[in-house]
Amino acid sequence: MTPLHINPEQFRVRPGTDVKLDEWSTSSTGGYTGDKQTAPDVLAALNERLADLQQMLYAESAHKFLIVMQGMDTSGKDGTIKHVFRTINPVGVKVANFKRPNDVELAHDYLWRVHGQTPRKGHMTIFNRSHYEDVLVVRVNELAPKQIWERRFEHIRNFEQMLVDEGTTIVKLFLHISKDEQRARLQERIDNPAKHWKFEHGDITERSHWDSYTEAYEQAIGETSTKHAPWYVVPADKKWYRNLVVSQLLIDKLDALEMCYPEPEIGIENIVVND
Ligand code: AMP
Ligand code: MG
């Protein structure tokens, strides 16, 4: 734990938990001893640490690192990516955005488009939405019948287990906001012309399904928070705290890999580079 007590582990969903999202805070700062005023400096220090670790991930080229980011509309998926990864060398990082599947994607199984985006050795990939949409939006909007989406939890557990067995670290983040916070953020998208591009009419319809999404998320998180691919329910009403928790969590996961720079080529110590 850091001196300021950013402790992401408290937000991990233990395997077999019956998840009730109203029991998980959207606004807690989980024992953190700093405040909003000092958060930018703390985040800057975490950003630097994360950049160093990502450089080692890339240099060592032994591990694959996958971050799955989910949350209700306006929960801050884009904002988290922007703030947490801002110092990272783009060479080794990719953001994979999963939107409505196109015709080709729909003609395949639902994991087809996902597997192709998983990280290679030395790389970090952030899934901005993911295969979980296939048990969330698909369920809520009845894009597939229950017997189809219900068996996907097992597919997903097995798929993720396979990725882990083959050397991928998986961290799954549910950015947890309150319904009231979503109202405020949607209103801001309507009122602020600079944010109009983020708003679609469909967002209001989706909001009306809040309870169905909550139920779908509860089951999805409960069914798929495993030892090897755990979910973290990150309180996300306070953006500054969300950024600190996600940064610290990724640092902790990368630290646990005990990476090191590869050995230099033999005999380079006496080489002098001539004009
Ligand atoms: P946004 O995240 O605002 O760019 O919106 C992306 C949209 O794509 C969301 O409304 C998602 O629910 C939708 N989406 C993502 N994956 C799927 C999927 N597998 N099936 C249907 N809709 C999806
Ligand atoms: Mg949207």
Side-chain angles (χ1 to χ4, degrees), residues 70-71 73-74 77-78 97-101 105-106 110 113 128-138 141 143 152 189 198 200 202-203 206 213:
Q70 285 287 161
D73 284 338
T74 77
K77 297 182 285 294
D78 296 323
N97 295 301
F98 291 97
K99 307 272 183 188
R100 285 171 204 96
E105 291 165 342
L106 280 174
Y110 68 100
R113 67 171 181 162
N128 185 6
R129 301 187 188 268
S130 65
H131 44 302
Y132 283 95
E133 292 296 330
D134 293 283
V135 291
L136 295 165
V137 66
V138 164
N141 289 331
L143 305 178
R152 291 181 171 170
R189 287 181 181 187
K198 288 190 183 185
E200 2 176 17
D203 293 345
E206 291 301 280
Y213 272 108

Side-chain angles (χ1 to χ4, degrees), residues 10 29 31 42 63 67-68 72 87 92 115 123 132 135-136 139 142 157 171 200 244 248 259 262:
Q10 65 189 301
T29 52
V42 177
H63 306 277
I67 299 146
V68 173
M72 301 280 200
T87 52
H115 201 176
H123 284 237
Y132 283 95
V135 291
L136 295 165
R139 168 180 178 166
E142 298 179 0
R157 282 193 297 269
V171 186
E200 2 176 17
L244 298 186
Q248 184 67 55
M259 299 179 289

Side-chain angles (χ1 to χ4, degrees), residues 88-265:
I88 292 211
N89 185 347
V91 149
V93 178
K94 188 175 74 177
V95 179
N97 295 301
F98 291 97
K99 307 272 183 188
R100 285 171 204 96
N102 62 30
D103 289 349
V104 178
E105 291 165 342
L106 280 174
H108 289 81
D109 67 84
Y110 68 100
L111 290 175
W112 179 78
R113 67 171 181 162
V114 176
H115 201 176
Q117 300 281 2
T118 53
R120 54 181 291 170
K121 280 182 184 172
H123 284 237
M124 196 183 256
T125 299
I126 304 148
F127 280 3
N128 185 6
R129 301 187 188 268
S130 65
H131 44 302
Y132 283 95
E133 292 296 330
D134 293 283
V135 291
L136 295 165
V137 66
V138 164
R139 168 180 178 166
V140 171
N141 289 331
E142 298 179 0
L143 305 178
K146 185 173 182 187
Q147 64 266 31
I148 299 272
W149 58 255
E150 204 168 36
R151 61 192 184 201
R152 291 181 171 170
F153 300 120
E154 190 178 358
H155 301 158
I156 291 174
R157 282 193 297 269
N158 291 337
F159 172 63
E160 293 178 354
Q161 177 75 62
M162 183 278 292
L163 294 176
V164 172
D165 289 347
E166 296 289 321
T168 306
T169 297
I170 303 182
V171 186
K172 299 185 292 196
L173 305 172
F174 173 67
L175 303 182
H176 190 23
I177 55 164
S178 64
K179 193 173 180 190
D180 203 43
E181 181 66 19
Q182 188 192 57
R183 186 197 54 69
R185 292 186 189 182
L186 280 175
Q187 194 64 55
E188 166 73 6
R189 287 181 181 187
I190 294 163
D191 296 345
N192 180 351
K195 293 194 175 178
H196 282 174
W197 66 276
K198 288 190 183 185
F199 183 80
E200 2 176 17
H201 286 288
D203 293 345
I204 301 292
T205 323
E206 291 301 280
R207 176 170 165 79
S208 71
H209 300 315
W210 179 274
D211 291 344
S212 304
Y213 272 108
T214 299
E215 198 184 324
Y217 266 113
E218 288 176 340
Q219 189 177 2
I221 293 170
E223 291 270 3
T224 64
S225 199
T226 56
K227 185 166 177 294
H228 55 271
W231 275 104
Y232 290 79
V233 176
V234 177
D237 280 353
K238 295 188 175 80
K239 295 174 183 173
W240 63 270
Y241 182 66
R242 170 202 76 196
N243 293 339
L244 298 186
V245 173
V246 174
S247 301
Q248 184 67 55
L249 175 58
L250 300 180
I251 288 168
D252 292 347
K253 295 282 178 183
L254 286 162
D255 261 337
L257 295 175
E258 299 185 348
M259 299 179 289
C260 50
Y261 282 105
E263 290 293 319
E265 289 188 14

